[in-house]
Amino acid sequence: MATTAAVPDLDRLRPAGTKRSSKRDLIVNVFLKQEGHLSADDLVDLIKREDHRISRATVYRTLQWMVDAGIARKVDFGEGRFRFEHSYRHPRHFHLICKTCNRSYEFLSSDIEALVEEVATARAFTARQSVVQIYGTCESCSTGRAPEESSNSELLFARDALRIAIATERSGMEFYGRGVKLVKDPRAREVFRKLATEEVHHLKTLEARYEDLLKQDPLLESRPTFLFFKGAANGLFAAGTDQLRRDGVDDLEAYRIGIRCERGSHRFFKRYGERFEDSEGKQVFLQFADEEREHLELLIREYRALVKRQRLPGHKATASKRARAGRGAKAKARARSAQR
Amino acid sequence: MATTAAVPDLDRLRPAGTKRSSKRDLIVNVFLKQEGHLSADDLVDLIKREDHRISRATVYRTLQWMVDAGIARKVDFGEGRFRFEHSYRHPRHFHLICKTCNRSYEFLSSDIEALVEEVATARAFTARQSVVQIYGTCESCSTGRAPEESSNSELLFARDALRIAIATERSGMEFYGRGVKLVKDPRAREVFRKLATEEVHHLKTLEARYEDLLKQDPLLESRPTFLFFKGAANGLFAAGTDQLRRDGVDDLEAYRIGIRCERGSHRFFKRYGERFEDSEGKQVFLQFADEEREHLELLIREYRALVKRQRLPGHKATASKRARAGRGAKAKARARSAQR
DNA sequence: CTAGGTGCAAATAATTTGCAGAGGC
DNA sequence: GCCTCTGCAAATTATTTGCACCTAG
């Protein structure tokens, strides 16, 4: 759908000491107009239709050039030959490959990526790229129903990332809202109130963006999940809100929980912001990543200030006594670990 | 190490209407003596050394025959040609592939497998096989140190599966031990006591097997993790034991927790028992799987009996009242879901 | 004796390369 | 004019196949 995008800024990508060529341009354009995973041969056929004087070798050379330039990715579905997919505006992803109809379906799993990283770390292996392929039979082949045409994965990625972001902001709002009521220190209450308001603003921005996205494909909401990310389904602050519900959460504890959640959410916006190849989505996410980092820093600062204030006499006797006693060291250790 | 195993019962594997042949036997034997991932060409070289009159075509044909017979698996590391690995006594696994030295390392992640299954289910895709490959640089290539010789993955698999099984039994022991003290109904106490004893027996069997395994490779304990399975590191009953620690766990709740844990542990033994290609390990695991299923059934029976008994009058008024009131339906629903 | 199994050489199939001429900067 | 791009044909690489011959059951 509508990926008839004009040739991107190829000039930027063009490796040094390289010349423009009308044939290469033609091949690149034809390639970018296609959806899905083309074999070299498929592309040759398409090219021959436009200009039959372009040779097979040139197509091969151009494919290699596109891979080097970062426009295309070479993928191997175990067929004994390679296929090529766009990488411009297509996030890295994994594949479901139907052995019956030879179609392939894309997905991304943050959870699998995290586990892959863990395994690599455990084996002291420096992972540069990973391939996850699930071979089997697709829904339309096993039910006999017509295959649903699939939306382009950039849109799906944006949709899912936004859904997660929205859930995160919503849970953040709830978290800080609950915090305002729970926290005893007046300054802390002010901090929580401020952050709650910010989350509301973020939420509005994200929801507006989500609406925009839906306009690009009316069926977008009904399409299957592209980005799998378990922990984030209810928002990254959901666990924190649960913790706030527990008895005996004092102001310091509330800060610590907030710090943990903000850190997760900062990471989320940073990581997925970088994955967006669409510059607007990227901007929104990276801006939020920055803001979340500011929240994080604010919380840490305030946390420390509160620790200091509680240590001073003239406050609640019990609290300051505890702080001066054995607990002081522990709290410091926690604050330190909170910075990590 | 020591995989110079005699040719397995090839006769069993031999497809119907197939004739014995000394050349094929030679090829199969040479293949099975090798460790690691051979390309067809590697094997041809090895064969030529033994008998230079065996042709390339025969090697190819025999490799295909081995794949069909289930002795070998064809793997694709994206080199433009296939490699072959044993499947006899080698559990299915994933790969870390070093692009510098072209060595490949094996691992298995139950966690990744579970996520892969989830993704497939979400997309209504019938998964038959999945490939996970991590490309990058291995430890010895990035540090320059000599590569550690790796143990054969059958042993590593057995080691890790046994470790998990031992942790599971240990946690099961603790779970039932705690249950005995906590549970009020005398019959339930008896059930918990019985199960605790059984877990002790299991534990002994498994520990003995683990000791045997260590004899096969003195360095076995120091080798890196092969089977990654997060949830099971502390035993599949660990979470259950934590739940027992909570306040307000009544006898029924204790049963429900036990049912959940036994189900997980039954699944574990079944799933990994089937993966063992070593018949002894397989036997131990599958036998345990059966016993865990019996435990499971016992718990469900006893759970139901207790529900019934509590519903009868003459018992603790509060408990039976609750059971007769709104809670009855809920408990039934839980029992039903417990059967799944 | 007959269905497989095997060797050899030739066929495929995907991709790469050498080289001479064409074309952009 | 120089250096890159391109077409063409030939080379390379991994794997398969046709066919005549061989061998186990």
Side-chain angles (χ1 to χ4, degrees):
Chain A
M1 313 203 80
T3 313
T4 324
V7 192
D9 8 45
L10 285 189
D11 305 318
R12 303 280 162 64
L13 302 167
R14 194 126 48 93
T18 226
K19 284 179 181 168
R20 162 152 251 125
S21 129
S22 58
K23 303 210 170 161
R24 180 145 69 204
D25 281 359
L26 173 72
I27 298 174
V28 171
N29 276 318
V30 169
F31 175 74
L32 290 179
K33 270 209 277 273
Q34 296 318 115
E35 287 277 336
H37 306 87
L38 295 183
S39 67
D41 226 50
D42 294 338
L43 189 55
V44 169
D45 286 350
L46 288 166
I47 296 298
K48 292 268 179 189
R49 229 174 280 164
E50 306 271 319
D51 180 349
H52 68 100
R53 287 169 318 168
I54 294 181
S55 86
R56 194 168 224 81
T58 304
V59 172
Y60 273 100
R61 284 187 276 235
T62 305
L63 279 168
Q64 188 51 53
W65 181 89
M66 287 194 282
V67 170
D68 295 340
I71 302 168
R73 274 190 295 256
K74 208 171 178 176
V75 291
D76 177 359
F77 292 161
E79 303 166 290
R81 64 181 165 169
F82 290 99
R83 291 184 170 272
F84 296 82
E85 60 181 21
H86 307 185
S87 58
Y88 180 77
R89 289 186 160 244
H90 274 245
R92 273 202 174 286
H93 53 258
F94 302 135
H95 292 104
L96 291 150
I97 299 153
C98 177
K99 288 295 227 180
T100 307
C101 63
N102 286 316
R103 262 190 295 261
S104 69
Y105 304 84
E106 305 176 343
F107 72 96
L108 185 51
S109 166
S110 183
D111 307 308
I112 293 179
E113 284 182 348
L115 289 169
V116 160
E117 266 173 43
E118 263 177 55
V119 170
T121 307
R123 294 286 192 94
F125 190 94
T126 319
R128 195 140 7 90
Q129 208 216 107
S130 45
V131 171
V132 175
Q133 289 168 343
I134 310 178
Y135 290 92
T137 313
C138 70
E139 179 171 26
S140 61
C141 283
S142 52
T143 63
R145 259 179 295 152
E148 297 181 49
E149 82 167 303
S150 64
S151 184
N152 116 24
S153 50
E154 184 204 1
L155 271 185
L156 292 175
F157 172 68
R159 180 200 64 180
D160 292 344
L162 273 172
R163 281 183 183 170
I164 294 169
I166 288 170
T168 297
E169 297 300 345
R170 216 168 254 156
S171 66
M173 218 176 72
E174 202 185 330
F175 173 81
Y176 289 116
R178 200 172 287 268
V180 169
K181 287 186 214 141
L182 188 138
V183 135
K184 285 160 206 82
D185 181 75
R187 185 161 147 193
R189 202 170 304 140
E190 201 38 56
V191 169
F192 275 67
R193 195 191 312 282
K194 184 188 159 194
L195 292 175
T197 327
E198 292 226 11
E199 303 294 43
V200 174
H201 288 152
H202 285 186
L203 189 56
K204 285 209 184 106
T205 313
L206 291 168
E207 280 174 341
R209 246 196 107 58
Y210 189 71
E211 289 307 317
D212 280 355
L213 210 62
L214 293 187
K215 282 180 204 138
Q216 289 182 54
D217 173 5
L219 290 168
L220 190 59
E221 289 218 273
S222 68
R223 304 201 189 276
T225 311
F226 172 75
L227 169 58
F228 292 80
F229 189 175
K230 280 186 150 181
N234 303 312
L236 294 166
F237 286 84
T241 310
D242 279 353
Q243 287 173 3
L244 278 194
R245 268 196 208 103
R246 272 190 350 217
D247 292 339
V249 173
D250 62 8
D251 292 14
L252 286 176
E253 184 68 21
Y255 269 127
R256 281 194 294 267
I257 298 171
I259 287 169
R260 203 174 318 126
C261 291
E262 282 296 346
R263 178 166 304 119
S265 122
H266 166 246
R267 268 197 209 133
F268 165 75
F269 282 108
K270 182 119 193 269
R271 179 169 192 172
Y272 288 97
E274 279 161 4
R275 292 277 195 116
F276 268 97
E277 316 230 2
D278 148 20
S279 56
E280 281 173 85
K282 190 174 204 130
Q283 225 177 295
V284 172
F285 267 55
L286 291 184
Q287 187 197 321
F288 279 9
D290 274 354
E291 290 181 23
E292 303 291 47
R293 192 165 38 74
E294 278 169 32
H295 293 183
L296 185 57
E297 283 162 7
L298 172 67
L299 284 171
I300 292 176
R301 263 200 316 277
E302 289 296 329
Y303 173 77
R304 290 198 184 135
L306 184 58
V307 168
K308 215 180 242 172
R309 255 179 294 141
Q310 288 195 349
R311 225 182 272 153
L312 293 176
H315 220 68
K316 266 188 191 170
T318 34
S320 58
K321 224 180 226 166
R322 262 206 254 133
R324 240 178 298 159
R327 206 172 174 187
K330 262 191 205 164
K332 257 190 220 164
R334 277 197 198 123
R336 227 179 300 127
S337 90
Q339 282 180 74
R340 231 179 278 147
Chain B
M1 311 204 82
T3 313
T4 325
V7 193
D9 6 48
L10 285 189
D11 305 318
R12 303 280 162 65
L13 301 168
R14 194 126 49 94
T18 225
K19 284 178 181 169
R20 162 150 251 125
S21 130
S22 58
K23 303 212 167 157
R24 180 145 69 204
D25 281 359
L26 173 72
I27 298 173
V28 171
N29 276 317
V30 169
F31 175 75
L32 290 179
K33 270 208 278 272
Q34 298 316 116
E35 288 276 338
H37 305 88
L38 295 183
S39 66
D41 226 50
D42 295 338
L43 189 55
V44 169
D45 287 351
L46 288 165
I47 295 299
K48 291 268 179 191
R49 228 175 279 164
E50 306 271 319
D51 179 348
H52 68 100
R53 287 170 318 168
I54 294 181
S55 86
R56 193 169 224 81
T58 305
V59 173
Y60 272 100
R61 283 189 276 236
T62 305
L63 279 168
Q64 189 51 54
W65 181 88
M66 288 194 282
V67 170
D68 294 340
I71 302 169
R73 272 190 296 257
K74 210 170 177 177
V75 290
D76 177 358
F77 292 161
E79 302 167 290
R81 64 180 165 172
F82 290 99
R83 291 183 170 272
F84 295 83
E85 60 181 21
H86 307 183
S87 60
Y88 180 78
R89 290 188 161 243
H90 274 246
R92 273 200 174 289
H93 53 258
F94 302 135
H95 293 104
L96 291 150
I97 300 153
C98 177
K99 288 294 228 180
T100 308
C101 63
N102 285 316
R103 261 191 295 262
S104 68
Y105 303 84
E106 304 176 343
F107 72 96
L108 185 52
S109 166
S110 183
D111 308 309
I112 293 179
E113 285 182 348
L115 289 170
V116 160
E117 267 174 42
E118 262 177 56
V119 170
T121 306
R123 294 286 193 96
F125 190 93
T126 320
R128 195 142 6 90
Q129 212 217 105
S130 46
V131 171
V132 176
Q133 289 169 342
I134 311 178
Y135 291 92
T137 313
C138 70
E139 178 170 27
S140 62
C141 282
S142 53
T143 62
R145 260 180 295 154
E148 298 181 48
E149 76 162 315
S150 62
S151 184
N152 110 30
S153 50
E154 185 205 0
L155 272 184
L156 293 175
F157 172 65
R159 179 199 67 179
D160 292 345
L162 274 171
R163 282 181 182 169
I164 294 169
I166 288 170
T168 297
E169 297 300 345
R170 218 169 252 155
S171 66
M173 220 175 71
E174 202 185 328
F175 174 80
Y176 288 117
R178 200 172 286 267
V180 169
K181 287 186 215 138
L182 188 137
V183 136
K184 283 156 208 89
D185 180 74
R187 187 162 147 192
R189 202 170 302 141
E190 202 38 57
V191 170
F192 275 67
R193 195 190 313 284
K194 185 190 156 189
L195 292 175
T197 327
E198 293 226 11
E199 302 295 43
V200 175
H201 289 151
H202 285 186
L203 189 55
K204 285 208 185 109
T205 314
L206 291 169
E207 279 175 340
R209 245 196 108 58
Y210 189 72
E211 289 307 318
D212 281 355
L213 211 63
L214 293 186
K215 281 179 205 142
Q216 290 182 53
D217 174 3
L219 291 169
L220 190 59
E221 290 217 274
S222 68
R223 304 201 188 277
T225 310
F226 172 75
L227 170 57
F228 292 79
F229 190 174
K230 284 186 145 181
N234 304 311
L236 294 167
F237 286 83
T241 310
D242 279 353
Q243 287 173 3
L244 278 193
R245 265 194 212 107
R246 273 189 347 217
D247 293 339
V249 172
D250 62 8
D251 293 14
L252 287 178
E253 185 69 21
Y255 269 127
R256 280 194 294 267
I257 298 171
I259 287 169
R260 203 174 318 126
C261 291
E262 282 296 346
R263 178 166 304 118
S265 126
H266 166 247
R267 270 198 208 131
F268 166 75
F269 282 110
K270 181 119 195 267
R271 178 169 194 172
Y272 287 97
E274 279 161 4
R275 293 279 194 113
F276 269 95
E277 316 232 0
D278 151 19
S279 55
E280 280 173 87
K282 190 175 202 128
Q283 226 175 292
V284 172
F285 267 55
L286 291 185
Q287 189 197 320
F288 278 8
D290 273 354
E291 291 181 23
E292 304 291 49
R293 192 165 39 74
E294 278 169 32
H295 292 184
L296 184 58
E297 283 163 8
L298 173 67
L299 285 171
I300 292 176
R301 263 200 315 278
E302 290 295 330
Y303 173 78
R304 291 199 184 136
L306 184 58
V307 168
K308 216 181 243 173
R309 254 180 294 142
Q310 289 196 348
R311 225 182 272 155
L312 293 176
H315 219 66
K316 265 188 191 170
T318 33
S320 60
K321 224 180 226 165
R322 262 206 255 135
R324 240 178 299 157
R327 207 173 173 186
K330 263 191 203 162
K332 258 189 219 163
R334 275 194 198 126
R336 228 178 301 127
S337 89
Q339 281 179 75
R340 229 179 278 147

